[in-house]
Amino acid sequence: MASENEEVDGAAILAKSLKSQGVEYMFGIVGVPVIEVAVAAQAEGIKYVGMRNEQAASYAASAIGYMTGRPAVCLVVSGPGLVHAFAGMSNAMENCWPLIVVGGSCDSNQEGMGGFQEYPQVFTAKPFCKYSARPSSVDRIPFFVEKAVRQSIYGRPGCCYIDLPGDMITDKIPLSHVSSVKRCPDAPVMLADPSSIKKTIDLLSNSSRPLVIVGKGAAYGRAERAVREFITSWNLPFLPTPMGKGVLPDDHPLCVSSTRSKALQEADVIILLGARLNWILHFGLPPRFHKDIQIVQVDICVEELGNNVYKWLGLVGNISHVVHQVSVKMIFLDGYILSWWKFLKNKMKTNQNTFQKMISDKSSPLNYYAVLNEINNMIPDNSIIINEGANTMDIGRVMLLNHLPRHRLDAGTFGTMGVGLGFTVAAAIWCRDHAPNKRVVCVQGDSAFGFSGMEIETLQRYNLPIILIILNNNGISFGIDEESWSSLESAGDLTLMTPPTSLKPNTPYEKMMAGFGGRGYAVQTIHSLQHSLKDALNHTNQSSLITVAINPLAQRKPQDFFWLTKSKM
């Protein structure tokens, strides 16, 4: 038992405070002045994962926040270390995921003198987070940690920053002087206004073409049971957003993802569950949506209601509880007619036939649909899928099915490229500790892989048996073939001749994984893909990287509207 006069330093106080608030993981890169913080965290039982870049570390920590509902920590050094982490902080804010970033800073007695990596960190971090502060003294560190945790998970979740000068990390005070702060409880439950519930029932009762959109807010809010009961009880068609996939299985008979554009265009009432009317949903505006659409927004954030649209009804509260409020008051949908389902099913059948033609084309060089379909068929249904890239991600949103909530991680609301391997490390660490029977499968484009490719060393260092599949089309969205590249090389200055979208053709990325002790495979045919992926799945104690050669000119299927809405509507 600690004596009354025992002294403890700031690093230990911080670590104890984080542990008492339920923090389980810390990702980062150490250096002056935060090495002691990482050591103290490990001493308290917080698992420290050393990454190769602060961006990837911040992405990893934010992914834990999304998957668990409680923040992880990204630990960074002063100045440039924090600046690199702004990428993940921005991504967490835009995706509404809890994250705590702890940054070291120069000693307080050197401020204004040009100290090592001196930077106005508390001030500069503010635009990237909900709360940015420096503890006023060593003994007050627990107060600021609790406040950061609370801010990160209450209301609309987001990022918080805690700044610690080097002298505060190493200064010691008597243990008896340290303030005691209780663990911050989970966010309190909020229910919607009963009068708004009644208006929602009236809207649905008079609707002939209802549609439910399931957003990642429903996944984050663990609303899958309530949402499933609501949709299936009333036979409602639903459309998941990219990370809303899996709240109900993508292969559910009521899912209308394969006719996304027509469902959005023709619906007369949309129930929006934890999604925003931003670019992913074309701002809720015509021509992507019906001009007379009525939208019911279920959201935790009051300020989000009515954004971009005029005919809306807001239900503010926790999604699972609000959906239950609606469900228990539902009556027979008199206006709900079978012609709506007949229309949707006809469109789905037409689109599925188009998909099938592309899936059936297994000629080399391969197309995205054939490859992604094979991956989808072979990986276990409970896999956590990380999907990143241009065509790789956009087509993967359709072809890679999710059967469980919070089992898909991609570029998200911010459209951030480079998140893939940070997310993969986080998912693999979490699965190792909490769901060892799950596989983590990361499907990336070659350009996306390049942002944080060195994190494969992190995967190997911690013995994380993920499967990484790179769909290599030699470029960003599209590339060029080997013959065209050779012509460019002989034609003159490559900085003037090389198309801006192109990367070096046929780069053997699989050799990087092999170089770190993992398994590498090069694939050019469907048969080779089947063999390689089967072998990778059988190796449950080693990471694997499969490079799949994709036709550099392969694109999406023709469609009415792309995910990205152009400025000219």
Side-chain angles (χ1 to χ4, degrees):
M1 190 169 180
S3 66
E4 185 176 342
N5 295 324
E6 179 182 346
E7 290 193 327
V8 61
D9 63 22
I13 296 171
L14 175 70
K16 290 177 184 294
S17 302
L18 292 170
K19 184 68 174 179
S20 70
Q21 294 299 329
V23 171
E24 189 175 1
Y25 299 103
M26 179 181 286
F27 301 83
I29 296 179
V30 297
V32 176
V34 298
I35 296 174
E36 294 87 350
V37 173
V39 173
Q42 288 179 316
E44 283 299 319
I46 296 173
K47 297 182 179 182
Y48 176 79
V49 181
M51 305 288 283
R52 300 300 297 264
N53 183 281
E54 288 93 354
Q55 286 188 18
S58 59
Y59 295 144
S62 69
I64 292 291
Y66 172 63
M67 294 170 65
T68 69
R70 301 286 297 197
V73 168
C74 174
L75 178 67
V76 298
V77 299
S78 49
L82 175 61
V83 171
H84 292 166
F86 286 161
M89 295 166 71
S90 302
N91 195 63
M93 287 297 292
E94 291 300 315
N95 280 299
C96 309
W97 294 353
L99 167 66
I100 293 178
V101 175
V102 173
S105 56
C106 74
D107 287 1
S108 54
N109 64 355
Q110 295 178 356
E111 287 184 345
M113 299 175 65
F116 177 67
Q117 295 183 333
E118 182 181 352
Y119 197 64
Q121 295 178 190
V122 175
F123 172 80
T124 309
K126 285 186 177 182
F128 301 94
C129 54
K130 293 178 68 178
Y131 173 72
S132 176
R134 172 186 291 182
S136 51
S137 58
V138 176
D139 63 294
R140 293 273 288 166
I141 289 175
F143 169 85
F144 284 85
V145 169
E146 189 277 340
K147 188 165 185 177
V149 170
R150 181 156 38 90
Q151 291 268 0
S152 75
I153 62 176
Y154 282 19
R156 173 176 280 178
C159 175
C160 294
Y161 174 67
I162 299 175
D163 188 76
L164 289 177
D167 52 334
M168 187 175 289
I169 291 172
T170 56
D171 280 355
K172 292 184 177 182
I173 62 172
L175 185 61
S176 59
H177 291 185
V178 180
S179 58
S180 177
V181 179
K182 293 182 179 179
R183 174 184 168 124
C184 174
D186 292 340
V189 170
M190 293 195 299
L191 299 177
D193 176 20
S195 65
S196 297
I197 296 292
K198 184 180 184 304
K199 291 176 183 177
T200 300
I201 301 299
D202 292 341
L203 274 176
L204 283 172
S205 299
N206 292 294
S207 168
S208 59
R209 302 185 307 278
L211 177 67
V212 179
I213 297 179
V214 182
K216 71 172 175 286
Y220 175 82
R222 285 160 170 69
E224 51 266 22
R225 181 176 178 179
V227 172
R228 180 174 63 247
E229 290 177 355
F230 172 61
I231 287 174
T232 57
S233 295
W234 303 103
N235 201 39
L236 296 168
F238 75 92
L239 175 70
T241 63
M243 274 188 281
K245 286 160 58 70
V247 172
L248 277 79
D250 285 339
D251 58 1
H252 194 285
L254 299 179
C255 181
V256 294
S257 286
S258 58
T259 184
R260 176 182 183 272
S261 294
K262 289 300 182 183
L264 291 176
Q265 281 181 306
E266 300 298 330
D268 61 357
V269 172
I270 286 179
I271 309 295
L272 192 64
L273 302 178
R276 285 168 282 176
L277 294 171
N278 55 22
W279 66 275
I280 291 179
L281 289 175
H282 313 294
F283 314 109
L285 299 175
R288 278 62 167 169
F289 285 66
H290 195 280
K291 63 182 178 62
D292 295 321
I293 188 69
Q294 295 272 351
I295 295 179
V296 179
Q297 293 178 263
V298 182
D299 205 289
I300 200 71
C301 179
V302 180
E303 290 85 352
E304 190 61 40
L305 302 181
N307 188 39
N308 297 326
V309 294
Y310 300 101
K311 294 182 180 179
W312 60 274
L313 175 63
L315 300 179
V316 180
N318 296 78
I319 291 174
S320 59
H321 294 81
V322 173
V323 168
H324 180 70
Q325 283 182 279
V326 175
S327 294
V328 297
K329 296 291 185 180
M330 286 279 278
I331 57 176
F332 181 73
L333 301 179
D334 295 319
Y336 184 46
I337 56 178
L338 295 177
S339 61
W340 175 228
W341 261 121
K342 183 178 180 180
F343 169 82
L344 291 172
K345 288 180 177 178
N346 285 338
K347 293 296 181 182
M348 284 192 286
K349 184 177 181 180
T350 300
N351 289 342
Q352 286 162 356
N353 289 338
T354 303
F355 281 131
Q356 195 57 49
K357 290 179 182 178
M358 304 186 77
I359 290 168
S360 300
D361 178 8
K362 299 182 180 180
S363 59
S364 296
L366 296 166
N367 72 74
Y368 290 97
Y369 292 87
V371 170
L372 290 168
N373 181 66
E374 202 63 47
I375 295 170
N376 180 69
N377 290 339
M378 292 188 68
I379 63 176
D381 285 350
N382 69 344
S383 299
I384 294 182
I385 299 171
I386 294 91
N387 191 200
E388 181 188 19
N391 292 328
T392 299
M393 182 178 67
D394 286 347
I395 300 171
R397 285 170 168 169
V398 178
M399 301 303 299
L400 297 174
L401 303 185
N402 287 95
H403 303 270
L404 297 168
R406 299 171 297 281
H407 279 56
R408 178 184 173 85
L409 294 161
D410 69 17
T413 305
F414 210 26
T416 309
M417 290 295 105
V419 295
L421 283 175
F423 286 176
T424 301
V425 170
I429 285 284
W430 184 87
C431 284
R432 185 187 66 184
D433 295 340
H434 300 281
N437 294 325
K438 290 185 188 293
R439 298 309 303 265
V440 176
V441 180
C442 178
V443 184
Q444 290 185 296
D446 50 328
S447 173
F449 172 75
F451 281 85
S452 53
M454 278 301 294
E455 298 303 337
I456 60 175
E457 186 275 330
T458 306
L459 292 164
Q460 287 299 101
R461 185 168 10 114
Y462 292 103
N463 298 317
L464 301 174
I466 64 94
I467 297 174
L468 174 58
I469 304 171
I470 298 176
L471 304 194
N472 184 12
N473 72 338
N474 305 332
I476 304 170
S477 295
F478 55 89
I480 59 178
D481 58 27
E482 190 79 54
E483 183 178 349
S484 301
W485 180 265
S486 297
S487 298
L488 288 173
E489 284 187 310
S490 60
D493 189 341
L494 286 174
T495 60
L496 297 175
M497 305 292 291
T498 306
T501 62
S502 65
L503 300 172
K504 192 175 190 303
N506 305 327
T507 300
Y509 296 105
E510 70 281 353
K511 292 184 179 180
M512 291 180 63
M513 181 66 83
F516 287 112
R519 304 183 70 81
Y521 310 83
V523 165
Q524 293 184 330
T525 67
I526 288 295
H527 176 74
S528 178
L529 173 62
Q530 292 170 338
H531 174 78
S532 300
L533 185 50
K534 181 179 179 180
D535 192 58
L537 287 165
N538 286 335
H539 285 85
T540 57
N541 60 350
Q542 196 173 24
S543 287
S544 301
L545 194 160
I546 304 171
T547 305
V548 183
I550 297 291
N551 186 335
L553 300 179
Q555 294 289 307
R556 308 172 180 87
K557 78 173 184 67
Q559 52 188 302
D560 297 323
F561 299 116
F562 293 115
W563 285 94
L564 182 60
T565 302
K566 303 299 183 183
S567 58
K568 293 183 179 180
M569 305 284 284

